[in-house]
């Protein structure tokens, strides 16, 4: 068994006062165990399910199924047909606050779109008039486009622009902006994957500064009375609660929305209503999530064809 680093031990002590929970958290990262696979039904679920299904969590949407250990849904023909999308159950937790947003959403903008799971979740949950999914890293665009096409997500566009350009070009336009922020990726360890330097303060601070820049630009895209969903797959408070505190200080028109269905997961590190899933809970590798609302009053700005062309948006035409 791998020995925990001093930085991991230090993080565990910051996150949990209880020594037993610290130990379980560390164990989940240095001796990772498989998690249940999970699928999001993009199309109508068959009358007879092709898989056995685990008992759903109380906050789990009806269009998501958690499957028994050992199932390989990605190899099923329905996957290739785009009937469902495979995702980590932690991603379902992170996106669960979207289920509380009132219907009749016109425009959803996903700021950090690839590989597409949060975009697909938002599209399925809210059925917007239009979904725009952005990915700033060019080499990740292919997987995003492929997944949106395969899963028949329409109407949708893909764009490849920095968040600062989007803040200037489409301000106050989107009823919901998703920020699945690039982070230190500490939860990758709970999946048995590598994340070099994920506990190092220099890397964490670099990520936190990038997250602040992205969320600040994203806030400018949110329409009056619209929502901003912020989420990560890491554990460091600097990338989670502290980003939220920074954000609310600088954008006082936003307020964090309490989630009754997630109250058992309320972060004990802040009074802000934000929520955490930890790997020792055995539901998923880990996630942080919070939903902000823009309390300003007014009409959203329209995003028209001229702006699409200016941004170089590519329409996704399903296969």
């Amino acid at each position: 068994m791998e020995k925990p680093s001093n930085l991991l031990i230090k993080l565990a002590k910051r996150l949990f006062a209880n020594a037993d929970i610290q130990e379980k958290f560390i164990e989940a990262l240095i001796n990772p165990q498989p998690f249940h696979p999970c699928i999001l039904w993009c199309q109508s679920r068959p009358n007879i399910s092709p898989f056995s299904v685990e008992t759903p969590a109380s906050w789990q949407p009806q269009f998501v199924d958690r499957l028994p250990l050992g199932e390989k849904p990605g190899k099923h023909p329905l996957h290739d047909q785009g009937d469902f999308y495979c995702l980590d159950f932690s991603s379902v937790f992170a996106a669960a606050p979207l289920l509380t947003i009132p219907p009749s959403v016109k425009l959803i903008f996903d700021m950090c779109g690839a590989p597409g799971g949060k975009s697909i979740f938002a599209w399925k949950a809210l059925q917007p008039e239009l979904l725009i999914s952005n990915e700033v890293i060019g080499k990740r665009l292919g997987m995003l486009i492929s997944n949106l096409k395969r899963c028949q997500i329409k109407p949708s566009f893909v764009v490849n622009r920095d968040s600062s350009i989007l803040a200037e070009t489409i301000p106050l336009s989107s009823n919901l902006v998703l920020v699945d922020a690039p982070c230190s990726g500490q939860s990758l360890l709970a999946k048995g994957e590598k994340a070099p330097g994920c506990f190092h303060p220099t890397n964490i601070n670099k990520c936190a500064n990038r997250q602040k820049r992205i969320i600040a630009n994203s806030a400018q895209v949110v329409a009056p009375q619209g929502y901003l969903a912020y989420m990560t797959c890491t554990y460091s408070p600097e990338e989670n609660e502290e980003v939220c505190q920074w954000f609310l200080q600088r954008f006082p028109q936003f307020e964090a929305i309490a989630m009754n269905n997630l109250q058992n997961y309320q972060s004990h590190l802040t009074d802000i209503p934000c929520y955490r899933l930890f790997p020792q809970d055995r539901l998923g590798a880990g996630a942080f999530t919070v939903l902000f609302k823009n309390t300003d009053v007014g009409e959203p700005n329209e995003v028209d064809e001229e702006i699409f062309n200016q941004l170089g948006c590519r329409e996704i035409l399903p296969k």
Side-chain angles (χ1 to χ4, degrees):
M1 184 185 300
E2 182 183 345
K3 183 180 178 181
S5 69
N6 289 333
L7 289 174
L8 171 54
I9 294 171
K10 184 178 179 181
L11 175 62
K13 289 180 178 179
R14 289 182 66 202
L15 292 175
F16 308 105
N18 183 289
D20 289 339
I21 300 178
Q22 293 171 17
E23 186 175 332
K24 289 177 181 177
F25 172 71
I26 293 170
E27 170 74 9
L29 298 190
I30 65 173
N31 187 27
Q33 302 297 313
F35 293 101
H36 290 260
C38 177
I39 59 175
L40 185 162
W41 288 99
C42 308
Q43 314 307 322
S44 297
R45 185 189 276 106
N47 291 330
I48 300 177
S49 175
F51 306 106
S52 299
V53 176
E54 297 290 307
T55 302
S58 60
W59 44 265
Q60 182 177 325
Q62 58 83 24
F63 53 82
V64 167
D65 285 333
R66 194 162 56 101
L67 310 181
L69 290 172
E71 286 276 19
K72 300 187 182 300
K75 296 184 176 181
H76 196 280
L78 290 179
H79 176 268
D80 292 340
Q81 294 174 26
D83 282 35
F84 61 80
Y85 179 88
C86 299
L87 74 171
D88 188 293
F89 201 54
S90 295
S91 295
V92 178
F93 174 85
L98 305 187
L99 300 170
T100 66
I101 295 175
S104 303
V105 172
K106 186 172 183 180
L107 175 60
I108 293 176
F109 193 95
D110 189 349
M111 189 62 73
C112 311
K118 304 300 193 311
S119 285
I120 293 170
F121 186 108
W123 174 85
K124 181 67 177 182
L126 296 170
Q127 294 292 296
E129 293 182 24
L130 178 64
L131 167 73
I132 303 176
S133 195
N134 177 64
E135 178 51 54
V136 71
I137 301 174
K139 65 182 181 181
R140 291 170 59 86
L141 273 176
M143 70 176 88
L144 174 61
I145 292 170
S146 175
N147 284 326
L148 295 180
K149 277 188 174 182
R150 179 178 60 81
C151 295
Q152 304 170 54
I153 308 303
K154 57 183 180 181
S156 63
F157 285 83
V158 167
V159 64
N160 171 222
R161 290 289 184 269
D162 186 80
S163 60
S164 60
I165 295 173
L166 296 161
E168 294 174 1
T169 310
I170 54 170
L172 304 175
S173 62
S174 303
N175 306 106
L176 169 64
V177 176
L178 302 173
V179 180
D180 186 10
C183 64
S184 57
Q186 293 161 352
S187 70
L188 292 174
L189 299 181
K191 301 179 186 179
E193 300 178 29
K194 302 293 184 183
C198 65
F199 300 118
H200 197 283
T202 300
N203 184 32
I204 290 169
N205 290 333
K206 180 181 177 181
C207 289
N209 288 333
R210 178 171 53 188
Q211 290 153 358
K212 289 172 183 176
R213 188 180 77 85
I214 293 172
I215 194 173
N217 288 330
S218 299
Q220 298 175 62
V221 178
V222 180
Q225 298 295 300
Y227 294 86
L228 172 61
Y230 177 79
M231 56 198 80
T232 77
C233 62
T234 201
Y235 312 123
S236 294
E238 292 89 345
E239 302 177 72
N240 295 315
E241 290 87 355
E242 292 180 22
V243 170
C244 294
Q245 291 161 1
W246 178 92
F247 175 71
L248 290 174
Q249 287 172 359
R250 283 156 181 78
F251 295 87
Q253 72 271 34
F254 281 85
E255 63 178 8
I257 306 298
M259 302 288 139
N260 292 334
N261 59 334
L262 297 181
Q263 61 184 354
N264 291 337
Y265 301 88
Q266 164 69 39
S267 171
H268 59 281
L269 303 175
T270 181
D271 292 332
I272 297 170
C274 52
Y275 306 91
R276 281 182 175 264
L277 186 70
F278 285 107
Q280 67 270 22
D281 298 330
R282 297 303 308 148
L283 286 176
F288 174 90
T289 189
V290 60
L291 183 67
F292 300 106
K293 183 176 183 179
N294 183 355
T295 61
D296 283 349
V297 177
E299 291 298 318
N301 290 335
E302 292 292 328
V303 179
D304 56 24
E305 188 172 349
E306 181 180 343
I307 293 175
F308 288 147
N309 293 334
Q310 181 181 346
L311 290 172
C313 291
R314 298 168 60 178
E315 185 174 6
I316 299 301
L317 300 174
K319 295 179 180 178

